[in-house]
């Protein structure tokens, strides 16, 4: 009688309080009982498995020899061309609050790049940005946006398709009527996600993601 009348409610109360401190909210005691029968856990992706905000993952620029130079996974800038490409993109995005714009500006800050305020700026909803930085006319946006602006992006099509197949968002950059590179962005995994999913699987649970 003591175990049922005192210990069990105390354990539930303490356990629920501990869970609440960790962000786990338990509606009622029967939910705990039913949890013992769970064999499948289904997770949301954005903000649960991932950080919930995009970050720059790749920068692809044309080098002085005309060959493509690629930076991946947030490495330090490999070349003047990649740094300049990011400077142009950050300058055009400097007045935007869009999550992709913030990701580009964050990477520019990490590289110590100071964006310039564009001398002219026009946003084309759903397509991209058009502006002037000094004497340069600059476009930033989708491949379709570049084509509609009479700028060919064929030289980067294969690279863009490979990045998009990896679930990344690709932004093309053109200057004075010529494509000069692209920037890829993606939501990043939380550092704790793999460990948490492994722990769930060790408990005998099947883990799935719905997105």
């Amino acid at each position: 009688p003591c175990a049922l009348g005192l210990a069990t409610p105390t354990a539930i109360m303490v356990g629920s309080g501990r869970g609440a401190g960790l962000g786990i909210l338990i509606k009622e005691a029967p939910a705990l009982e039913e949890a013992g029968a769970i064999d499948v856990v289904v997770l949301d992706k954005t903000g649960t498995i991932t950080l919930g905000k995009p970050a720059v993952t790749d920068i692809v620029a044309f080098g002085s020899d005309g060959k493509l130079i690629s930076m991946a996974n947030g490495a330090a800038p490999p070349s003047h061309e990649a740094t300049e490409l990011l400077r142009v993109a950050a300058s055009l995005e400097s007045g935007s609050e869009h999550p992709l714009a913030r990701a580009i500006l964050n990477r520019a800050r990490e590289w110590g790049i100071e964006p310039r305020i564009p001398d002219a700026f026009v946003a084309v909803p759903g397509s991209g940005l058009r502006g002037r930085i000094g004497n340069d006319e600059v476009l930033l946006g989708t491949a379709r946006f570049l084509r509609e602006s009479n700028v060919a992006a064929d030289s980067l099509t294969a690279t863009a398709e490979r990045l998009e197949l990896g679930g990344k968002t690709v932004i093309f950059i053109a200057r004075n009527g010529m494509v000069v590179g692209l920037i890829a962005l993606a939501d990043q995994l939380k550092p704790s996600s793999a460990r948490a999913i492994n722990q769930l699987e060790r408990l005998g649970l099947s883990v799935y993601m719905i997105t």
Side-chain angles (χ1 to χ4, degrees):
C2 288
L4 291 174
L6 297 175
T8 299
T10 301
I12 291 173
M13 182 175 66
V14 173
S16 299
R18 174 67 175 150
L22 296 172
I24 302 168
L25 304 181
I26 300 165
K27 184 177 181 181
E28 55 188 356
L32 282 174
E33 188 173 352
E34 293 171 8
I38 289 173
D39 55 12
V40 174
V41 176
V42 181
L43 302 172
D44 177 38
K45 184 191 75 173
T46 304
T48 302
I49 297 174
T50 69
L51 294 172
K53 56 182 181 181
V56 172
T57 59
D58 303 80
I59 293 179
V60 179
F62 287 100
S64 56
D65 57 0
K67 295 181 179 179
L68 289 177
I69 300 171
S70 179
M71 180 286 298
N73 301 323
S79 68
H80 166 75
E81 289 84 3
T83 303
E84 186 59 25
L85 186 73
L86 185 60
R87 186 190 311 280
V88 169
S91 296
L92 265 192
E93 298 279 21
S94 58
S96 175
E97 290 297 319
H98 192 281
L100 296 182
R102 287 199 295 269
I104 289 172
L105 290 166
N106 287 340
R107 179 48 50 83
R109 279 192 290 270
E110 291 171 9
W111 285 12
I113 294 172
E114 187 66 33
R116 289 183 56 179
I117 297 175
D119 299 298
F121 176 86
V122 176
V124 182
S127 295
L129 305 172
R130 179 182 289 110
R132 190 175 73 253
I133 302 173
N135 296 321
D136 295 327
E137 298 292 333
V138 180
L139 300 174
L140 185 151
T142 63
R144 177 175 56 84
F145 177 56
L146 263 63
R147 286 195 300 270
E148 290 173 352
S149 304
N150 298 316
V151 176
D154 297 347
S155 55
L156 290 173
T157 299
T159 302
E161 289 176 350
R162 174 178 57 80
L163 293 168
E164 287 170 343
L165 283 173
K168 299 178 181 181
T169 299
V170 173
I171 297 174
F172 291 84
I173 298 98
R175 182 163 53 190
N176 298 327
M178 294 186 62
V179 63
V180 291
L182 60 80
I183 295 176
L185 306 97
D187 195 0
Q188 301 290 287
L189 285 175
K190 288 181 179 176
S192 58
S193 291
R195 184 173 71 254
I197 291 170
N198 286 336
Q199 289 174 342
L200 290 171
E201 289 178 336
R202 282 200 297 271
L203 292 172
L205 299 169
S206 298
V207 184
Y208 295 90
M209 178 183 75
I210 290 182
T211 185

